Amino acid sequence: MGRVRSWVGNRRIALPVVAGGAVVLGLGGLYGTAFAVGGDIAQGTRVLGVDVGGMSRAEAHRALTRELGPTAAAPIAVKIGDRVEKADPAALGLSLDTDATLDSAVRTGYGPVNVIGGLFTSADRDVAPVIRMNEQTARAAVDRLGKSTEQQVRDGVITFEKGTAKAVAPLPGVSLVEDKALDTLRAAYLRPAAGPVVLPVTRTEPRVGAEETGRAMRQFAEPAMSGPVNLTVAGKHLSITPAVLGEHLKMRADGQGRLVPALDSKGLLADPAVARPIDEVTHPPRDAAPRLGADGRVVLADLGRDGRQVTQQALGRAVLPLLTRTGAARSGEVATVAVEPDFSSAEARRLGIKEKVSSFTVDFPAAPYRTTNIGRAVELINGSVVMPGEEWSFNRTVGERTPENGFVDGIMINDGQYVKSPGGGVSAVATTMYNAMFFAGVKPVEHGAHSFYIERYPEGREATVAWGTLDLRWINDSGHPLYIQAQSTDTSLTISLLGTKKYDEIRATKGPRTNITPPAKRTGSGETCEVQTPLEGFDVTVGRVFVQGGKEVRHEDFKTHYTPRDEVTCTPEGTPEGTPEATAGATPGATPQPPQKPSGAPVNGVRTAAERHAD
């Protein structure tokens, strides 16, 4: 037996031989020899192209850190839809576990077969890196990416600005599929790529795409803004510029993916550039105006007249077809129509409005807010016709007392005290209407008195209103139509009901004041505080007597409870409100008890001091 010299790695070793050259070293001896000469990592081992074969574990760790560390820490470019974002791997919860990777390299590199084979072959082995992902961190990061890159679907849109048509391009909806995005990021980490990592998304296509948007621009929008539209109205010429047209023109999706034009004919008709010239050749209808003659009979002071107007439908029919034409073809004529008045002279005669049924006047101190609010309410009430069996409502007729409806701030009663609030003063109109209704003998449905008595109104025969909580309503049970005539000045207003009398006369009676309660003293502050003089509270009963043929044929009683009107003084802003100083027997803030209703007689609506209503 002799020895053969052989090279393993960079070292030469002597192997025992027998005759014929056979190797007689045991397998265990070769395995141990391989460890002795090859280091911790088997020859030919690579991790992502980094050769760590034959290295000790510490050497391999340094090599991987040096070669793969920058890549492992480099920002990852991701593509979500059409957007490219960069994200830090640590923020995505991704990291390279070098120790676990080396553990894998050692396990796969050293078994008896692999080790001994490594002595005689030079085959390379690629070991996959061990990638760690902190799922909680990764999900939070992907959620942030999804929210920051989400794109809402947007249909193609065409707008008109200052006489020019502009197209807004459609956009698909893009939403990140977060669960699949986690797997994609893990698989792409540390892997070389030609471009950004494409993350999975769901896409929603717009209903109106680029092709349809372009068609609508070419076929309608651009021609519509190419020049003015010329109209003839009752012989008068009117030119509407593209800028004015564009203010009232839109293109909307029709549900089939097409953009179609929509002209706001009502807005175009109200536009000053169109309304002014049309108003010069048209006029609204005028109602007939009944008035009382010297003998107390109704005559028609104004017979009324038909109007002639341009309707919004007629304007739209004339304008819309012209918008896609050019030159002289962008001209057309707008038809006018006759409009009958709501109340004509023939209607007045047919309804039998022939005499004054009742009339009542209320005087009040002059104040700008009263002039405005009372005048506006009178304007809305005057000329109303209430047919037999119909109900009349103050709130329904006058509407909410807002600036948009023509009302301004005035004085109202809130919590038993005067305060500033919109619509103050309209209770003068409600009180006047209540008395006109009272003396016409028609049926009351809803009404309520002020919480405390106001001296300019008749005791127990007055009314207040509050939007949403208290109305003045009555039913015309006279058997004949009633025409409401209302008129006002700066200091008075009168409401008359014209029609045909059911009774010869309606009389009012009033009993003495009872349950008299003295007022208290209070102190208020702030801009809404109003000085208030004291007045006692009391109960009073008012009767309504129906007379026919000189005899009383019917009688009704109405009982009203008034709380005391406390004396109020106002302190500067910020001064705490004083404690009420009640005089003997007064109960400031107490809720009045409902009055007892006599058999067969209606009762005034009882109002508490905390309720709010007009003065």
Side-chain angles (χ1 to χ4, degrees):
M1 180 173 69
R3 291 183 179 274
V4 177
R5 300 287 181 179
S6 177
W7 292 90
V8 176
N10 295 320
R11 299 177 63 189
R12 187 173 62 181
I13 63 173
L15 298 178
V17 298
V18 294
V23 178
V24 295
L25 181 64
L27 184 60
L30 285 173
Y31 191 65
T33 301
F35 270 108
V37 300
D40 293 341
I41 310 299
Q43 292 291 337
T45 302
R46 295 180 305 187
V47 179
L48 293 180
V50 179
D51 187 356
V52 294
M55 294 183 182
S56 68
R57 187 183 183 92
E59 290 172 334
H61 195 286
R62 287 193 295 273
L64 290 181
T65 301
R66 181 180 63 253
E67 298 297 332
L68 298 182
T71 302
I76 301 173
V78 295
K79 186 175 184 181
I80 305 172
D82 296 329
R83 295 183 59 177
V84 175
E85 301 281 336
K86 286 189 176 182
D88 184 70
L92 291 170
L94 291 169
S95 61
L96 168 63
D97 191 333
T98 304
D99 288 330
T101 301
L102 291 174
D103 288 344
S104 177
V106 170
R107 284 196 302 273
T108 59
Y110 284 121
V113 175
N114 289 342
V115 171
I116 296 172
L119 294 173
F120 304 104
T121 64
S122 59
D124 293 333
R125 293 187 312 280
D126 289 320
V127 176
V130 177
I131 306 300
R132 300 295 183 195
M133 174 178 275
N134 183 314
E135 187 166 341
Q136 182 176 0
T137 301
R139 284 191 177 277
V142 168
D143 182 63
R144 287 193 298 271
L145 274 174
K147 289 178 179 177
S148 66
T149 59
E150 185 175 14
Q151 180 173 285
Q152 297 294 328
V153 65
R154 183 180 72 196
D155 289 341
V157 176
I158 293 175
T159 62
F160 300 94
E161 299 178 14
K162 298 179 180 179
T164 302
K166 295 183 179 181
V168 178
L171 286 176
V174 177
S175 181
L176 183 64
V177 183
E178 295 185 4
D179 286 339
K180 292 182 179 179
L182 293 175
D183 296 335
T184 302
L185 285 169
R186 184 197 295 269
Y189 183 52
L190 297 178
R191 298 290 193 272
V197 179
V198 178
L199 298 184
V201 297
T202 56
R203 298 175 68 90
T204 305
E205 295 302 321
R207 294 170 298 175
V208 178
E211 182 178 349
E212 171 58 19
T213 305
R215 180 207 64 80
M217 277 289 288
R218 293 189 305 273
Q219 295 183 7
F220 180 83
E222 290 174 341
M225 296 291 101
S226 63
V229 165
N230 299 300
L231 302 175
T232 301
V233 183
K236 182 177 181 63
H237 297 289
L238 165 64
S239 181
I240 308 177
T241 66
V244 172
L245 290 169
E247 288 289 327
H248 309 286
L249 188 62
K250 297 183 184 299
M251 296 203 76
R252 296 193 175 99
D254 65 354
Q256 305 298 321
R258 288 178 61 85
L259 288 173
V260 296
L263 179 65
D264 177 13
S265 302
K266 181 179 180 180
L268 182 61
L269 185 60
D271 193 295
V274 177
R276 280 194 296 265
I278 288 180
D279 287 345
E280 293 176 7
V281 292
T282 60
H283 55 270
R286 188 173 64 236
D287 288 342
R291 68 170 177 82
L292 291 173
D295 58 355
R297 307 292 289 178
V298 170
V299 296
L300 293 177
D302 189 334
L303 299 180
R305 70 174 185 186
D306 287 349
R308 183 150 294 275
Q309 294 181 337
V310 171
T311 66
Q312 62 189 60
Q313 294 82 2
L315 182 63
R317 285 194 298 267
V319 171
L320 198 56
L322 304 180
L323 296 179
T324 54
R325 301 179 188 175
T326 58
R330 292 174 71 88
S331 299
E333 186 170 355
V334 183
T336 60
V337 296
V339 183
E340 294 182 353
D342 293 330
F343 187 69
S344 65
S345 57
E347 183 75 359
R349 295 187 184 95
R350 184 182 68 81
L351 293 177
I353 296 174
K354 58 183 182 180
E355 61 186 339
K356 178 175 70 175
V357 178
S358 67
S359 185
F360 198 79
T361 298
V362 164
D363 297 316
F364 49 82
Y369 79 86
R370 285 197 182 99
T371 299
T372 298
N373 293 338
I374 291 174
R376 176 58 177 156
V378 163
E379 177 186 5
L380 294 167
I381 290 171
N382 184 51
S384 300
V385 176
V386 186
M387 299 300 290
E390 283 187 350
E391 178 187 270
W392 186 89
S393 159
F394 187 97
N395 284 342
R396 191 165 58 241
T397 304
V398 175
E400 188 172 2
R401 274 69 81 185
T402 62
E404 294 76 17
N405 195 21
F407 293 90
V408 298
D409 281 355
I411 305 301
M412 299 182 75
I413 299 172
N414 186 26
D415 193 22
Q417 181 175 336
Y418 286 126
V419 297
K420 293 178 182 177
S421 189
V426 297
S427 278
V429 185
T431 291
T432 309
M433 173 59 79
Y434 176 74
N435 279 274
M437 175 276 302
F438 185 97
F439 289 106
V442 294
K443 180 181 179 180
V445 175
E446 177 185 1
H447 81 285
H450 290 83
S451 54
F452 56 69
Y453 178 56
I454 299 175
E455 295 93 319
R456 63 176 172 270
Y457 301 143
E459 293 180 18
R461 223 175 59 234
E462 46 91 10
T464 186
V465 287
W467 180 258
T469 59
L470 179 63
D471 199 359
L472 171 62
R473 297 184 293 134
W474 51 269
I475 291 176
N476 177 13
D477 60 349
S478 69
H480 301 279
L482 290 173
Y483 177 91
I484 302 176
Q485 187 178 69
Q487 53 190 5
S488 65
T489 68
D490 289 344
T491 57
S492 70
L493 71 101
T494 299
I495 293 179
S496 302
L497 301 184
L498 310 182
T500 301
K501 287 185 176 182
K502 182 178 180 179
Y503 299 98
D504 293 342
E505 184 184 4
I506 302 292
R507 299 172 184 164
T509 63
K510 182 177 74 69
R513 294 183 179 184
T514 61
N515 192 28
I516 295 174
T517 307
K521 293 183 179 181
R522 291 196 288 167
T523 302
S525 63
E527 293 182 355
T528 60
C529 181
E530 293 289 330
V531 173
Q532 185 169 284
T533 57
L535 185 70
E536 65 187 18
F538 59 91
D539 293 347
V540 67
T541 298
V542 170
R544 180 162 71 161
V545 180
F546 299 78
V547 178
Q548 187 76 355
K551 297 180 180 179
E552 178 180 326
V553 295
R554 187 179 168 195
H555 182 93
E556 291 177 334
D557 282 338
F558 300 87
K559 185 176 181 180
T560 302
H561 173 82
Y562 292 112
T563 62
R565 187 175 70 204
D566 295 341
E567 181 179 1
V568 175
T569 56
C570 297
T571 62
E573 181 70 32
T575 303
E577 186 173 338
T579 303
E581 301 175 15
T583 55
T587 54
T591 301
Q593 296 299 313
Q596 298 298 314
K597 178 179 178 181
S599 177
V603 180
N604 257 357
V606 176
R607 304 186 55 76
T608 68
E611 288 185 283
R612 175 191 183 101
H613 45 74
D615 77 338

